[in-house]
Short mmCIF file of all heavy atoms in Angstrom, two decimals:
data_model
loop_
_atom_site.label_atom_id
_atom_site.label_comp_id
_atom_site.label_asym_id
_atom_site.label_seq_id
_atom_site.Cartn_x
_atom_site.Cartn_y
_atom_site.Cartn_z
N TYR A 159 112.90 135.96 94.97
CA TYR A 159 113.32 137.33 95.28
C TYR A 159 112.47 137.90 96.43
O TYR A 159 113.00 138.52 97.37
CB TYR A 159 113.20 138.19 94.03
CG TYR A 159 113.40 139.67 94.27
CD1 TYR A 159 114.66 140.21 94.45
CD2 TYR A 159 112.30 140.54 94.30
CE1 TYR A 159 114.86 141.56 94.68
CE2 TYR A 159 112.48 141.90 94.52
CZ TYR A 159 113.75 142.40 94.71
OH TYR A 159 113.91 143.75 94.93
N GLN A 160 111.15 137.70 96.34
CA GLN A 160 110.26 138.19 97.39
C GLN A 160 110.52 137.47 98.72
O GLN A 160 110.46 138.08 99.79
CB GLN A 160 108.80 138.01 96.96
CG GLN A 160 108.40 138.89 95.79
CD GLN A 160 106.97 138.64 95.35
OE1 GLN A 160 106.35 137.64 95.74
NE2 GLN A 160 106.43 139.53 94.53
N ARG A 161 110.81 136.17 98.63
CA ARG A 161 111.10 135.42 99.85
C ARG A 161 112.36 135.94 100.54
O ARG A 161 112.40 136.09 101.77
CB ARG A 161 111.26 133.93 99.53
CG ARG A 161 111.54 133.06 100.75
CD ARG A 161 111.62 131.59 100.37
NE ARG A 161 112.80 131.30 99.58
CZ ARG A 161 114.00 131.01 100.09
NH1 ARG A 161 114.17 130.98 101.40
NH2 ARG A 161 115.02 130.75 99.30
N LYS A 162 113.41 136.22 99.75
CA LYS A 162 114.64 136.75 100.33
C LYS A 162 114.40 138.10 100.99
O LYS A 162 114.93 138.40 102.07
CB LYS A 162 115.72 136.86 99.25
CG LYS A 162 116.31 135.53 98.80
CD LYS A 162 117.11 134.88 99.91
CE LYS A 162 117.78 133.60 99.44
NZ LYS A 162 118.51 132.94 100.55
N ASN A 163 113.62 138.96 100.33
CA ASN A 163 113.29 140.26 100.91
C ASN A 163 112.52 140.10 102.22
O ASN A 163 112.73 140.84 103.18
CB ASN A 163 112.47 141.09 99.93
CG ASN A 163 113.34 141.77 98.88
OD1 ASN A 163 114.55 141.94 99.07
ND2 ASN A 163 112.75 142.15 97.77
N LEU A 164 111.61 139.12 102.24
CA LEU A 164 110.84 138.86 103.46
C LEU A 164 111.76 138.35 104.57
O LEU A 164 111.59 138.73 105.74
CB LEU A 164 109.74 137.86 103.17
CG LEU A 164 108.74 137.57 104.30
CD1 LEU A 164 108.05 138.85 104.72
CD2 LEU A 164 107.70 136.53 103.86
N GLU A 165 112.73 137.50 104.25
CA GLU A 165 113.69 137.03 105.24
C GLU A 165 114.49 138.20 105.81
O GLU A 165 114.75 138.25 107.03
CB GLU A 165 114.63 136.00 104.62
CG GLU A 165 114.00 134.65 104.36
CD GLU A 165 114.99 133.66 103.79
OE1 GLU A 165 116.19 134.00 103.73
OE2 GLU A 165 114.58 132.55 103.41
N ILE A 166 114.89 139.13 104.94
CA ILE A 166 115.64 140.32 105.40
C ILE A 166 114.78 141.16 106.33
O ILE A 166 115.26 141.66 107.37
CB ILE A 166 116.10 141.15 104.19
CG1 ILE A 166 117.13 140.34 103.37
CG2 ILE A 166 116.70 142.47 104.64
CD1 ILE A 166 117.48 140.97 102.04
N GLU A 167 113.50 141.29 106.00
CA GLU A 167 112.58 142.07 106.84
C GLU A 167 112.37 141.39 108.19
O GLU A 167 112.37 142.05 109.24
CB GLU A 167 111.24 142.20 106.11
CG GLU A 167 110.25 143.11 106.83
CD GLU A 167 108.95 143.26 106.05
OE1 GLU A 167 108.93 142.94 104.85
OE2 GLU A 167 107.96 143.71 106.66
N ILE A 168 112.22 140.05 108.17
CA ILE A 168 112.06 139.31 109.43
C ILE A 168 113.32 139.43 110.28
O ILE A 168 113.25 139.63 111.51
CB ILE A 168 111.74 137.83 109.14
CG1 ILE A 168 110.38 137.70 108.46
CG2 ILE A 168 111.75 137.01 110.42
CD1 ILE A 168 110.07 136.29 107.98
N GLN A 169 114.47 139.31 109.64
CA GLN A 169 115.74 139.42 110.37
C GLN A 169 115.89 140.78 111.03
O GLN A 169 116.34 140.90 112.18
CB GLN A 169 116.90 139.15 109.42
CG GLN A 169 118.23 138.93 110.11
CD GLN A 169 119.30 138.45 109.14
OE1 GLN A 169 119.33 138.87 107.99
NE2 GLN A 169 120.17 137.58 109.60
N LYS A 170 115.49 141.83 110.32
CA LYS A 170 115.55 143.19 110.87
C LYS A 170 114.66 143.31 112.10
O LYS A 170 115.06 143.86 113.13
CB LYS A 170 115.11 144.19 109.80
CG LYS A 170 115.06 145.63 110.29
CD LYS A 170 114.49 146.53 109.21
CE LYS A 170 114.30 147.95 109.75
NZ LYS A 170 113.67 148.82 108.72
N LYS A 171 113.45 142.77 112.01
CA LYS A 171 112.50 142.84 113.14
C LYS A 171 113.02 142.05 114.34
O LYS A 171 112.95 142.53 115.48
CB LYS A 171 111.14 142.30 112.71
CG LYS A 171 110.10 142.27 113.82
CD LYS A 171 108.80 141.69 113.33
CE LYS A 171 107.75 141.66 114.45
NZ LYS A 171 108.14 140.79 115.56
N LEU A 172 113.54 140.84 114.09
CA LEU A 172 114.02 140.00 115.19
C LEU A 172 115.26 140.59 115.85
O LEU A 172 115.43 140.49 117.07
CB LEU A 172 114.30 138.59 114.69
CG LEU A 172 113.09 137.79 114.17
CD1 LEU A 172 113.52 136.41 113.74
CD2 LEU A 172 112.01 137.70 115.23
N ASN A 173 116.15 141.18 115.06
CA ASN A 173 117.34 141.83 115.64
C ASN A 173 116.93 142.97 116.56
O ASN A 173 117.53 143.17 117.63
CB ASN A 173 118.26 142.34 114.53
CG ASN A 173 119.04 141.23 113.87
OD1 ASN A 173 119.24 140.17 114.45
ND2 ASN A 173 119.49 141.45 112.65
N TYR A 174 115.93 143.72 116.15
CA TYR A 174 115.44 144.81 117.00
C TYR A 174 114.83 144.24 118.28
O TYR A 174 115.05 144.77 119.38
CB TYR A 174 114.39 145.64 116.26
CG TYR A 174 113.80 146.75 117.09
CD1 TYR A 174 114.47 147.96 117.28
CD2 TYR A 174 112.57 146.57 117.73
CE1 TYR A 174 113.93 148.96 118.07
CE2 TYR A 174 112.02 147.57 118.52
CZ TYR A 174 112.70 148.75 118.69
OH TYR A 174 112.16 149.74 119.48
N GLU A 175 114.08 143.15 118.13
CA GLU A 175 113.38 142.56 119.27
C GLU A 175 114.34 141.96 120.28
O GLU A 175 114.20 142.16 121.50
CB GLU A 175 112.42 141.48 118.77
CG GLU A 175 111.58 140.83 119.85
CD GLU A 175 110.48 141.73 120.39
OE1 GLU A 175 110.08 142.67 119.67
OE2 GLU A 175 110.06 141.50 121.53
N TYR A 176 115.35 141.22 119.80
CA TYR A 176 116.20 140.46 120.71
C TYR A 176 117.53 141.13 121.04
O TYR A 176 118.13 140.83 122.07
CB TYR A 176 116.47 139.07 120.13
CG TYR A 176 115.22 138.24 120.00
CD1 TYR A 176 114.83 137.70 118.78
CD2 TYR A 176 114.41 138.00 121.10
CE1 TYR A 176 113.67 136.95 118.66
CE2 TYR A 176 113.25 137.25 121.00
CZ TYR A 176 112.88 136.72 119.78
OH TYR A 176 111.73 135.99 119.67
N VAL A 177 118.01 142.00 120.17
CA VAL A 177 119.31 142.65 120.43
C VAL A 177 119.11 144.04 121.01
O VAL A 177 119.58 144.33 122.12
CB VAL A 177 120.15 142.73 119.13
CG1 VAL A 177 121.50 143.37 119.43
CG2 VAL A 177 120.35 141.34 118.53
N ASN A 178 118.39 144.89 120.28
CA ASN A 178 118.25 146.28 120.72
C ASN A 178 117.50 146.38 122.04
O ASN A 178 117.92 147.10 122.95
CB ASN A 178 117.53 147.08 119.64
CG ASN A 178 117.53 148.58 119.95
OD1 ASN A 178 118.58 149.19 120.08
ND2 ASN A 178 116.35 149.15 120.09
N LYS A 179 116.40 145.63 122.18
CA LYS A 179 115.64 145.70 123.42
C LYS A 179 116.44 145.15 124.60
O LYS A 179 116.31 145.65 125.73
CB LYS A 179 114.33 144.93 123.27
CG LYS A 179 113.27 145.69 122.47
CD LYS A 179 111.92 145.01 122.56
CE LYS A 179 110.85 145.81 121.85
NZ LYS A 179 109.52 145.18 121.94
N THR A 180 117.25 144.13 124.35
CA THR A 180 118.09 143.58 125.42
C THR A 180 119.09 144.63 125.92
O THR A 180 119.29 144.79 127.13
CB THR A 180 118.85 142.34 124.92
OG1 THR A 180 117.91 141.34 124.53
CG2 THR A 180 119.75 141.78 126.01
N VAL A 181 119.71 145.33 124.99
CA VAL A 181 120.67 146.38 125.37
C VAL A 181 119.97 147.48 126.16
O VAL A 181 120.50 147.97 127.17
CB VAL A 181 121.36 146.95 124.11
CG1 VAL A 181 122.24 148.13 124.49
CG2 VAL A 181 122.18 145.88 123.42
N LEU A 182 118.77 147.87 125.72
CA LEU A 182 118.04 148.92 126.44
C LEU A 182 117.63 148.46 127.84
O LEU A 182 117.67 149.24 128.79
CB LEU A 182 116.80 149.32 125.64
CG LEU A 182 117.06 150.00 124.28
CD1 LEU A 182 115.75 150.32 123.57
CD2 LEU A 182 117.88 151.27 124.46
N HIS A 183 117.26 147.18 127.97
CA HIS A 183 116.88 146.66 129.28
C HIS A 183 118.08 146.59 130.23
O HIS A 183 117.91 146.61 131.46
CB HIS A 183 116.26 145.27 129.14
CG HIS A 183 114.89 145.30 128.54
ND1 HIS A 183 114.33 144.21 127.91
CD2 HIS A 183 113.97 146.29 128.44
CE1 HIS A 183 113.12 144.53 127.48
NE2 HIS A 183 112.89 145.79 127.77
N MET A 184 119.29 146.48 129.66
CA MET A 184 120.49 146.44 130.50
C MET A 184 120.69 147.74 131.28
O MET A 184 121.36 147.74 132.31
CB MET A 184 121.73 146.16 129.63
CG MET A 184 121.80 144.73 129.12
SD MET A 184 123.14 144.47 127.93
CE MET A 184 124.56 144.78 128.96
N LEU A 185 120.07 148.83 130.80
CA LEU A 185 120.19 150.12 131.51
C LEU A 185 119.56 150.06 132.89
O LEU A 185 119.89 150.85 133.77
CB LEU A 185 119.52 151.23 130.68
CG LEU A 185 120.15 151.54 129.32
CD1 LEU A 185 119.28 152.53 128.56
CD2 LEU A 185 121.56 152.10 129.49
N TYR A 186 118.63 149.11 133.09
CA TYR A 186 117.90 149.03 134.35
C TYR A 186 118.42 147.93 135.26
O TYR A 186 117.83 147.65 136.30
CB TYR A 186 116.41 148.81 134.06
CG TYR A 186 115.80 149.91 133.22
CD1 TYR A 186 115.69 149.76 131.84
CD2 TYR A 186 115.37 151.10 133.81
CE1 TYR A 186 115.15 150.77 131.06
CE2 TYR A 186 114.82 152.12 133.03
CZ TYR A 186 114.72 151.94 131.65
OH TYR A 186 114.19 152.95 130.88
N LEU A 187 119.52 147.28 134.85
CA LEU A 187 120.10 146.23 135.70
C LEU A 187 120.84 146.86 136.87
O LEU A 187 121.37 147.98 136.77
CB LEU A 187 121.06 145.36 134.89
CG LEU A 187 120.43 144.43 133.85
CD1 LEU A 187 121.52 143.78 133.00
CD2 LEU A 187 119.60 143.36 134.53
N PRO A 188 120.93 146.17 138.02
CA PRO A 188 121.67 146.72 139.17
C PRO A 188 123.17 146.75 138.89
O PRO A 188 123.68 146.01 138.05
CB PRO A 188 121.34 145.73 140.30
CG PRO A 188 120.95 144.46 139.60
CD PRO A 188 120.30 144.87 138.32
N PHE A 189 123.87 147.60 139.64
CA PHE A 189 125.31 147.75 139.43
C PHE A 189 126.07 146.45 139.69
O PHE A 189 127.10 146.18 139.08
CB PHE A 189 125.87 148.85 140.35
CG PHE A 189 125.51 150.23 139.90
CD1 PHE A 189 124.63 150.99 140.64
CD2 PHE A 189 126.04 150.76 138.73
CE1 PHE A 189 124.28 152.27 140.23
CE2 PHE A 189 125.70 152.02 138.31
CZ PHE A 189 124.81 152.79 139.05
N LYS A 190 125.55 145.62 140.61
CA LYS A 190 126.27 144.38 140.95
C LYS A 190 126.37 143.45 139.75
O LYS A 190 127.29 142.63 139.67
CB LYS A 190 125.58 143.67 142.11
CG LYS A 190 124.12 143.31 141.87
CD LYS A 190 123.49 142.73 143.12
CE LYS A 190 122.02 142.41 142.91
NZ LYS A 190 121.40 141.87 144.14
N TYR A 191 125.41 143.55 138.80
CA TYR A 191 125.48 142.71 137.61
C TYR A 191 126.71 143.07 136.79
O TYR A 191 127.42 142.20 136.28
CB TYR A 191 124.23 142.87 136.78
CG TYR A 191 124.26 142.09 135.48
CD1 TYR A 191 123.97 140.74 135.46
CD2 TYR A 191 124.60 142.71 134.27
CE1 TYR A 191 124.00 140.01 134.28
CE2 TYR A 191 124.63 141.99 133.09
CZ TYR A 191 124.33 140.64 133.10
OH TYR A 191 124.38 139.93 131.93
N PHE A 192 127.01 144.36 136.66
CA PHE A 192 128.16 144.79 135.87
C PHE A 192 129.47 144.55 136.62
O PHE A 192 130.52 144.44 135.98
CB PHE A 192 128.01 146.28 135.52
CG PHE A 192 126.84 146.55 134.63
CD1 PHE A 192 125.62 146.93 135.16
CD2 PHE A 192 126.95 146.41 133.25
CE1 PHE A 192 124.53 147.17 134.33
CE2 PHE A 192 125.87 146.66 132.42
CZ PHE A 192 124.66 147.03 132.96
N ASN A 193 129.41 144.44 137.93
CA ASN A 193 130.61 144.10 138.69
C ASN A 193 131.03 142.65 138.45
O ASN A 193 132.19 142.29 138.59
CB ASN A 193 130.36 144.31 140.19
CG ASN A 193 130.28 145.78 140.56
OD1 ASN A 193 130.83 146.63 139.87
ND2 ASN A 193 129.57 146.07 141.64
N CYS A 194 130.03 141.81 138.08
CA CYS A 194 130.31 140.39 137.87
C CYS A 194 130.73 140.08 136.44
O CYS A 194 131.09 138.95 136.14
CB CYS A 194 129.06 139.56 138.21
SG CYS A 194 128.55 139.70 139.93
N ASN A 195 130.66 141.05 135.55
CA ASN A 195 130.95 140.79 134.13
C ASN A 195 131.80 141.91 133.56
O ASN A 195 131.52 143.09 133.79
CB ASN A 195 129.65 140.71 133.32
CG ASN A 195 128.78 139.55 133.73
OD1 ASN A 195 128.96 138.43 133.28
ND2 ASN A 195 127.82 139.82 134.62
N GLN A 196 132.84 141.54 132.82
CA GLN A 196 133.65 142.53 132.14
C GLN A 196 132.92 143.07 130.92
O GLN A 196 132.01 142.44 130.39
CB GLN A 196 134.98 141.92 131.70
CG GLN A 196 135.93 141.64 132.85
CD GLN A 196 137.28 141.19 132.35
OE1 GLN A 196 137.45 140.86 131.19
NE2 GLN A 196 138.26 141.18 133.24
N GLU A 197 133.35 144.27 130.48
CA GLU A 197 132.68 144.90 129.35
C GLU A 197 132.74 144.03 128.09
O GLU A 197 131.77 143.90 127.35
CB GLU A 197 133.32 146.27 129.05
CG GLU A 197 133.17 147.30 130.17
CD GLU A 197 134.26 147.18 131.21
OE1 GLU A 197 135.01 146.18 131.18
OE2 GLU A 197 134.36 148.06 132.08
N GLY A 198 133.91 143.42 127.86
CA GLY A 198 134.06 142.59 126.66
C GLY A 198 133.17 141.36 126.69
O GLY A 198 132.65 140.93 125.67
#
């Protein structure tokens, strides 16, 4: 039970590190990057 809770906690931390921070860093990308990629 404790191991599963720890896995959930690690998953939460890693999602913040790799997903949320990536999205925030995209705010500083140049416009030409978004011209090369569709929103989807």
